[in-house]
Amino acid sequence: MTASPGEPVSDIADPGLSEAGRARIEWAQRGMPVLRLLARRFGQARPFTGCTLAACLHVTAETAGLVTALRAGGARVFLAASNPLSTQDDVAAALAASGAATVFARAGVDPAGYRALDSQPDLVVDDGGDLVNTLHAQRPELLSGVRGGCESTATGVIRLRRMAEEGALAFPMVATDATVTKQMFDNTRGTGQSVIDGVLRATNTLLDGRVVVVAGYGACGRGIADAARGLGARVIVTEVDPVRALDAVLAGFDVLPMAVAAPAGEVLITATGSRDVIGAELLPVLRDGAILANAGHFDVEIDTRALAAEAVKVTREVRPHTDEYLLADGRRLLLLAEGRVVNLVAAEGSPPQVMDVSFAGQALVLGWLAAGQPGLDPGVHAVPPGIEEEIARLTLESLGAAIDELTAAQREYLNSWRAGR
Ligand code: NAI
């Protein structure tokens, strides 16, 4: 992508890493057949011709698959990191070098504002709501130019809904997080596997027979609980929602209040989207050697400030992504990834096969928005049902699975109350 005069240019750590990034992206793309197919389709139909797209996403090899597909469709893409710790510098370099996107991402460096907005986007892609927030709070002059966008995570959707309720959201945003396919693949399977992967990479601990406390039995929590149980852990779930808690009980997990579960926990993982789930009040009861990890979007689920205040000594990086907090009574607590999304910081996030489904949904939604949806009000919208079905069909096809079709008689039977038994 050649920069026009006055247009922002890439800000990345090391352009020399582009070859390593290209190899990493190629490996990821092998596992992303649906996005490869969409990139080919977009390359022919060019649905994003003339569109400028600002994206605030984890800058990883899988995200590169989405960027490549959008670019193939004619979009000018400006990509900012949604989390400095998940940025893969080599991928950022490869994307910038290939011209697929202008990239603002350096591992470990907080993005300086969301410079992707300087591109004056007409479409936005957000992950956590920060881009949309910044746009409304700091760049209101750009709002009228934005046709819409999509939000990929539960925390971001919650923030958008609050904005919409207050009449503050200036354009339509599609909640791509809420599709059944995304929840199934990404939040549950992908997050489940990769969160446990993050804990294991950071600590190299054995999970068999260990007590793992999972806070939150939503889409992510259930995947984490299943993955931990699959490795032999004894899993306790904590919840605030009685229906979710009941679901966890039926799945065979112990469900206890956090105050009761925490003293038993050898590994404690938060996945709630809320704050202070492991708060200051729990620090006196946690076991010596307890491993604390967060899977929620923001680093607010474990009260890391309280932990730092209680500690008499903090040893950074006793292993990569593991900090040890020594308390006055001699107990040591191990905080992974500084309390940030452990699967993205200490592991590599959801695998390509998972992100293929999530990003295919976003690519199709963006194509739908780019085609122009004049009746769509400012506010939070569900993914149109046709798109959800298309994602499922394309993914089934890529997995070599096929389904039956209803016969005419079956359709008539299912659609008529007169048909009897
Ligand atoms: P969800 O809304 O399906 O589940 C959250 C669950 O936590 C709900 O059942 C809720 O009742 C429960 N909860 C809320 N406060 C609690 C508390 N104090 N104690 C115990 N349970 C509590 O949301 P989902 O999709 O599971 O996402 C959870 C978080 O993970 C969000 O912040 C989301 O953005 C993030 N996320 C992270 C991913 C990753 O790769 N690490 C991937 C997708 C989402």
Side-chain angles (χ1 to χ4, degrees):
M1 212 161 78
T2 326
S4 316
E7 196 172 271
V9 293
S10 289
D11 181 4
I12 55 173
D14 182 357
L17 297 174
S18 69
E19 197 45 40
R22 198 183 54 76
R24 202 203 274 238
I25 291 171
E26 270 180 24
W27 172 257
Q29 289 197 341
R30 287 192 207 185
M32 305 182 85
V34 180
L35 265 182
R36 288 203 313 269
L37 177 88
L38 290 180
R40 281 200 299 279
R41 274 196 199 168
F42 288 167
Q44 283 156 7
R46 304 281 288 173
F48 301 107
T49 303
C51 284
T52 299
L53 205 144
C56 182
L57 297 168
H58 297 287
V59 178
T60 63
E62 292 75 25
T63 301
L66 173 65
V67 168
T68 307
L70 299 172
R71 181 72 193 129
R76 292 162 67 244
V77 184
F78 294 80
L79 173 66
S82 61
N83 183 328
L85 292 189
S86 61
T87 293
Q88 294 168 349
D89 281 328
D90 52 358
V91 168
L95 281 174
S98 70
T102 303
V103 186
F104 312 97
R106 290 167 179 261
V109 178
D110 269 323
Y114 285 90
R115 279 180 288 163
L117 293 175
D118 290 340
S119 63
Q120 308 192 355
D122 36 29
L123 290 173
V124 293
V125 186
D126 213 352
D127 184 349
D130 280 348
L131 189 75
V132 170
N133 237 311
T134 310
L135 188 52
H136 285 74
Q138 292 169 30
R139 305 296 302 272
E141 76 282 5
L142 298 177
L143 289 174
S144 61
V146 181
R147 279 194 266 166
C150 56
E151 165 57 54
S152 36
T153 198
T155 292
V157 173
I158 290 170
R159 297 168 96 190
L160 287 175
R161 287 198 201 287
R162 295 294 95 80
M163 286 177 80
E165 278 162 19
E166 291 175 23
L169 188 60
F171 46 78
M173 284 292 290
V174 178
T176 50
D177 175 71
T179 60
V180 178
T181 43
K182 199 255 177 187
Q183 298 274 322
M184 204 192 285
F185 271 77
D186 189 339
N187 299 38
T188 301
R189 266 71 176 201
T191 307
Q193 174 175 298
S194 61
V195 162
I196 297 303
D197 185 17
V199 171
L200 298 185
R201 288 195 204 191
T203 59
N204 192 24
T205 196
L206 183 75
L207 282 191
D208 284 279
R210 310 287 297 282
V211 178
V212 175
V213 176
V214 178
Y217 196 71
C220 294
R222 95 182 32 234
I224 297 165
D226 279 345
R229 177 161 63 185
L231 287 173
R234 292 184 287 150
V235 178
I236 303 174
V237 166
T238 75
E239 250 300 344
V240 293
D241 177 330
V243 178
R244 293 270 171 91
L246 190 57
D247 199 15
V249 170
L250 289 186
F253 296 110
D254 287 334
V255 177
L256 294 170
M258 182 55 99
V260 181
E266 295 175 277
V267 181
L268 296 94
I269 306 172
T270 53
T272 69
S274 188
R275 60 173 304 152
D276 302 333
V277 179
I278 298 178
E281 75 289 353
L282 293 178
L283 298 182
V285 302
L286 291 172
R287 285 167 79 140
D288 181 28
I291 295 166
L292 311 178
N294 168 48
H297 186 78
F298 288 117
D299 56 350
V300 296
E301 303 211 10
I302 300 170
D303 188 346
T304 52
R305 278 196 199 154
L307 190 54
E310 282 297 311
V312 291
K313 185 177 167 210
V314 181
T315 312
R316 300 276 171 215
E317 301 263 314
V318 285
R319 283 178 55 84
H321 306 301
T322 304
D323 293 339
E324 185 181 80
Y325 289 74
L326 176 66
L327 304 182
D329 60 10
R331 283 175 303 132
R332 292 165 200 271
L333 301 178
L334 299 166
L335 176 67
L336 307 193
E338 299 173 23
R340 299 183 195 235
V341 268
V342 69
N343 56 330
L344 282 146
V345 179
E348 294 176 68
S350 286
Q353 292 78 2
V354 168
M355 297 318 293
D356 194 31
V357 177
S358 302
F359 286 147
Q362 296 196 8
L364 289 170
V365 164
L366 289 165
W368 178 75
L369 286 169
Q373 303 299 332
L376 206 61
D377 300 330
V380 182
H381 297 269
V383 171
I387 291 186
E388 170 93 288
E389 233 180 60
E390 189 170 3
I391 303 166
R393 282 188 189 283
L394 293 174
T395 309
L396 276 173
E397 210 177 295
S398 77
L399 293 170
I403 59 171
D404 289 320
E405 276 194 36
L406 289 172
T407 63
Q410 285 169 336
R411 194 168 297 115
E412 192 189 332
Y413 175 79
L414 291 171
N415 285 329
S416 166
W417 61 271
R418 287 179 212 280
R421 68 184 174 83

